[in-house]
Structures are given as C-alpha cells and as structure tokens.
Amino acid sequence: MEKINTINLPSFLRRTLKAYALKAHIRQLGCDLSRIGRSRNWQLKANFDQIQSIIEYIEQKDEKSWLWLAKLLKKEYQHLSHDNLLVLATRLESVTITALIAQTDCTLAQARKVLDELEGLD
C-alpha cells in the first residue's frame, strides 16, 4: 500500500487563479482536496504518483499563479523513500545524477545509490 502524503495548502484559492480548473484536475487524479474547517487553508491528500502528476500538469499548463503549488509539492520530494526515488529514476529516459537531483531535490548520496542500483553495481 502506498503512503498517502498530507500537504497543507495555505490560502489556496486566494493564491490561485483559475482554481476551478486546477481543483478539477487534482480531484480527477483521485486525490482528496478539501478545505480545513472554515479557514482559507486547504489540505491535499495524495500519493507519490499523484503528486508527480499534479506537478507535471502545472508545469505543462504554465499558469503563473499555479507555480507556487508546484514548488510546494516539490518540497515533498525531500521526504521520498529510496523505493520512490528508484521508481522515479526508472521513469526518466536518460537519467544522470544531476538530472535526478534536479528533478527530486534528493541528496548526492541518495542519487548515487539509486543510479548504482539501477546499473546493477550495488
């Protein structure tokens, strides 16, 4: 069973133009996006694959007011397990240490360990 990440989205609607389109896409991916009580803050519950899909969608649409969310979700990559990094590295076509670090914000040691494992050196 995959780990579900819970991410707080402060002032989600105030910071996001065309929020209806973004909310619809996030819910279409099967994520749970809900408002926290009566506050202006929202909460996103999603697994690793869903977070990555949201980031790709935001970068593809190139809506300036959505980029803060992509940046916030990329911070979640810092909490990736070794298995998640391995899955992500296998999806990248020509993966290098610098590409993996740039994509996931992982450490140099983590990137080396993943690539060594992919190449069968570990």
Side-chain angles (χ1 to χ4, degrees), residues 49-72:
D49 293 329
Q50 292 169 331
I51 291 173
Q52 187 176 1
S53 297
I54 293 168
I55 292 170
E56 289 172 2
Y57 178 77
I58 290 171
E59 290 174 348
Q60 178 186 18
K61 292 298 181 181
D62 199 32
E63 173 64 40
K64 302 272 189 242
S65 67
W66 295 357
L67 294 178
W68 72 272
L69 180 58
K71 184 177 178 181
L72 182 73

Side-chain angles (χ1 to χ4, degrees), residues 11-71:
S11 302
F12 177 68
L13 291 180
R14 292 178 185 229
R15 298 172 78 179
T16 309
L17 297 176
K18 300 179 186 175
Y20 59 90
L22 184 57
K23 287 189 327 185
H25 181 73
I26 289 172
R27 288 184 174 136
Q28 183 181 16
L29 291 171
C31 304
D32 180 29
L33 180 66
S34 58
R35 191 171 163 192
I36 301 173
R38 295 180 57 187
S39 72
R40 67 176 88 164
N41 300 325
W42 289 65
Q43 189 175 58
L44 173 68
K45 292 181 182 178
N47 63 30
F48 170 72
D49 293 329
Q50 292 169 331
I51 291 173
Q52 187 176 1
S53 297
I54 293 168
I55 292 170
E56 289 172 2
Y57 178 77
I58 290 171
E59 290 174 348
Q60 178 186 18
K61 292 298 181 181
D62 199 32
E63 173 64 40
K64 302 272 189 242
S65 67
W66 295 357
L67 294 178
W68 72 272
L69 180 58
K71 184 177 178 181

Side-chain angles (χ1 to χ4, degrees), residues 71-105:
K71 184 177 178 181
L72 182 73
L73 293 177
K74 283 183 181 181
K75 285 184 182 178
E76 282 298 307
Y77 281 135
Q78 294 173 354
H79 308 293
L80 292 179
S81 68
H82 177 74
D83 294 334
N84 287 341
L85 285 173
L86 196 57
V87 167
L88 183 62
T90 55
R91 289 182 186 166
L92 298 174
E93 294 168 6
S94 60
V95 65
T96 62
I97 289 177
T98 53
L100 189 59
I101 291 172
Q103 181 79 18
T104 63
D105 292 331

